Amino acid sequence: MFRPLSFYIGLRYTAAKRRNHFISFISLTSMIGLMLGVAVLIIVLSVMNGFDRELKEKVLGMVPHAVVKGDPYLADWETVDSRVTEHPRVLAAAPFIEGQGMVTGGGNVRGVLIKGIIPEQEDSVSIISSQMIEGSLGDLKSGEFGIIVGRPLAASLRLQVGDKLTVVLPEASVSPAGVMPRLKRFTVAGIFSTGAELDGNYTLIHMDDAGKLMRTGGLAEGVRLLVDDLFAAPAVVEEAALSLGGRYYISDWTRTHGSLFSAIQMEKTIIGLLLMFIVAVAAFNIVSTLVMVVTDKTGDIAILRTMGATPGRIMRIFMIQGAIIGVFGTLVGTGLGILGALYISDLISGLECLLNHQFLNADVYFISYLPSDLQWLDVAIISSAGLVMSLLATLYPAWRASRVDPAEALRYE
């Protein structure tokens, strides 16, 4: 059976028990370091991808991709709605009225964002329907003054569906009793949960009720757009507004949440580079391992040279030995990293239950759990980088082995 001599000898050197146990120890630590470096890098980048995905799907599924606003209201929001949807990159549009206020219930007070919507149209531009845990958007009826709140807000105010709460606006109304804040009693019609920070301060009411509460005279404040590409939202909303003519104010998600998205992208890049250094250090430990192996095997190298082995063959022997360490460490690390990325969310959830402590609080972070999104392109890049660095680490020791002078090596044997 044909077996390449370089591969056969390199494999024997790797598998053989060495007299110098320190060399074996260094080889093992190099392999383990490479495994851990590759695994940790895959897991961390998967978690960063998970945060990126959650930002797009959850946060940007709730907040508008882009909006077109009037000055201060849209007198003909129906026309604006139909005109902007004619743009080929606008998938849907829905009117809204937005304001800030306070809600009181259960003896507590919380500041909130109050958004008036038309349920039938809001469903086409938002993921809120899929995030409802009690009730539905359809439970918001014009004139019934129903309100939908997030789960953290409902827990803070000790509210359930059917309970009453009071909405207070920071605008005064003149009455026979004097100047009074504008307030209205609402009935909780539903509770939603996205797991994001906005659950604690986001409320939805029917747009007709919002118009009465905020005294807009039946006018909408603006129209919300859903575009086909998040990153094209600034250009799309500008083109849509220009096609309308007249004076409108435009905004998009990059102005409200763009800094958060940019921060995650930058953190992913920086953390990836830093962790890649761990892989590089582990890979280049192979250099020290092979240098010591070459020193230990100087006599063997000299004998092989006298038997006719060329410098190129000697070089391949030690490159193969280092490559075996690198390939094994990279492949095992890749496998561990894939398993870790697939189950890290469940592992952290179990750890939170065991310790009775939540690591990611929705009041502090924009989501309340650790997401993970394994991307095979990242796995391929990390594995390839580990293999390439491992092979590069074998070049100098292998070249040094090929330069051994047989006469000098065997002089004192």
Side-chain angles (χ1 to χ4, degrees):
M1 178 178 177
F2 173 75
R3 287 185 291 187
L5 182 62
S6 300
F7 180 81
Y8 177 67
I9 297 176
L11 186 61
R12 281 199 61 181
Y13 278 178
T14 304
K17 295 182 179 179
R18 298 188 180 89
R19 294 165 297 182
N20 191 336
H21 296 290
F22 182 70
I23 297 177
S24 300
F25 175 75
I26 294 297
S27 300
L28 182 62
T29 55
S30 299
M31 190 179 297
I32 293 176
L34 192 59
M35 288 165 45
L36 294 178
V38 170
V40 168
L41 186 53
I42 291 174
I43 292 172
V44 170
L45 289 188
S46 296
V47 170
M48 298 303 294
N49 291 332
F51 277 106
D52 187 22
R53 179 197 63 197
E54 294 302 311
L55 175 63
K56 292 178 181 178
E57 293 183 358
K58 294 292 182 68
V59 178
L60 296 181
M62 292 289 291
V63 303
H65 290 181
V67 296
V68 177
K69 292 185 178 182
D71 184 22
Y73 299 107
L74 292 176
D76 55 345
W77 67 262
E78 294 93 343
T79 302
V80 173
D81 187 294
S82 60
R83 291 280 300 278
V84 295
T85 52
E86 293 176 358
H87 193 286
R89 305 199 67 177
V90 176
L91 303 179
F96 68 91
I97 300 175
E98 202 169 66
Q100 294 181 344
M102 296 184 297
V103 292
T104 64
N108 295 320
V109 180
R110 292 285 295 269
V112 296
L113 177 69
I114 304 167
K115 188 165 186 178
I117 61 169
I118 296 179
E120 296 78 15
Q121 291 187 251
E122 186 70 14
D123 193 32
S124 64
V125 297
S126 171
I127 64 169
I128 185 66
S129 292
S130 62
Q131 308 301 314
M132 298 294 297
I133 55 177
E134 291 186 58
S136 66
L137 278 183
D139 294 330
L140 293 179
K141 306 293 185 181
S142 176
E144 294 184 2
F145 292 95
I147 187 170
I148 293 176
V149 300
R151 182 163 60 181
L153 181 61
S156 174
L157 302 180
R158 296 192 287 273
L159 296 173
Q160 296 180 350
V161 173
D163 290 348
K164 301 287 185 179
L165 62 79
T166 302
V167 175
V168 182
L169 296 185
E171 298 179 11
S173 299
V174 179
S175 68
V179 179
M180 300 289 290
R182 193 180 307 168
L183 51 86
K184 179 65 180 177
R185 294 281 283 177
F186 279 79
T187 302
V188 177
I191 298 174
F192 69 88
S193 175
T194 64
E197 181 183 7
L198 53 79
D199 289 359
N201 55 16
Y202 194 80
T203 62
L204 297 169
I205 61 178
H206 197 282
M207 197 173 79
D208 293 342
D209 298 338
K212 295 174 184 176
L213 181 66
M214 302 176 191
R215 298 178 181 175
T216 66
L219 306 178
E221 181 181 348
V223 172
R224 167 180 177 170
L225 311 183
L226 177 70
V227 300
D228 60 352
D229 182 4
L230 283 172
F231 298 101
V236 171
V237 68
E238 184 176 355
E239 293 171 3
L242 288 174
S243 67
L244 294 173
R247 184 176 180 180
Y248 298 94
Y249 294 99
I250 60 174
S251 181
D252 59 83
W253 70 271
T254 61
R255 301 184 185 182
T256 56
H257 292 78
S259 58
L260 181 60
F261 182 82
S262 299
I264 291 177
Q265 290 292 90
M266 183 183 67
E267 287 176 3
K268 178 184 175 181
T269 302
I270 298 300
I271 290 176
L273 289 175
L274 292 176
L275 290 177
M276 189 61 76
F277 282 117
I278 297 177
V279 179
V281 169
F284 282 95
N285 277 342
I286 297 174
V287 175
S288 59
T289 301
L290 292 184
V291 166
M292 287 186 287
V293 171
V294 169
T295 303
D296 189 53
K297 300 294 184 181
T298 301
D300 294 358
I301 296 170
I303 293 172
L304 288 171
R305 288 296 308 277
T306 58
M307 294 176 64
T310 63
R313 174 164 287 178
I314 297 297
M315 191 171 179
R316 287 194 297 272
I317 288 173
F318 290 94
M319 287 184 67
I320 288 170
Q321 183 179 357
I324 290 172
I325 297 174
V327 169
F328 184 79
T330 301
L331 292 181
V332 174
T334 300
L336 293 175
I338 291 173
L339 288 176
L342 292 176
Y343 295 104
I344 186 67
S345 299
D346 296 333
L347 179 63
I348 295 300
S349 298
L351 194 58
E352 286 179 341
C353 294
L354 182 64
L355 300 177
N356 195 25
H357 174 72
Q358 188 174 19
F359 296 119
L360 297 177
N361 193 327
D363 293 333
V364 180
Y365 304 97
F366 70 91
I367 59 174
S368 58
Y369 56 94
L370 189 70
S372 179
D373 181 19
L374 180 65
Q375 295 187 3
W376 295 108
L377 178 60
D378 287 343
V379 174
I381 292 173
I382 295 167
S383 302
S384 300
L387 292 173
V388 169
M389 286 188 286
S390 299
L391 292 175
L392 290 176
T394 65
L395 292 179
Y396 171 72
W399 174 81
R400 182 173 171 178
S402 70
R403 304 292 294 177
V404 170
D405 184 0
E408 287 292 328
L410 296 175
R411 176 175 295 179
Y412 301 106
E413 291 291 333

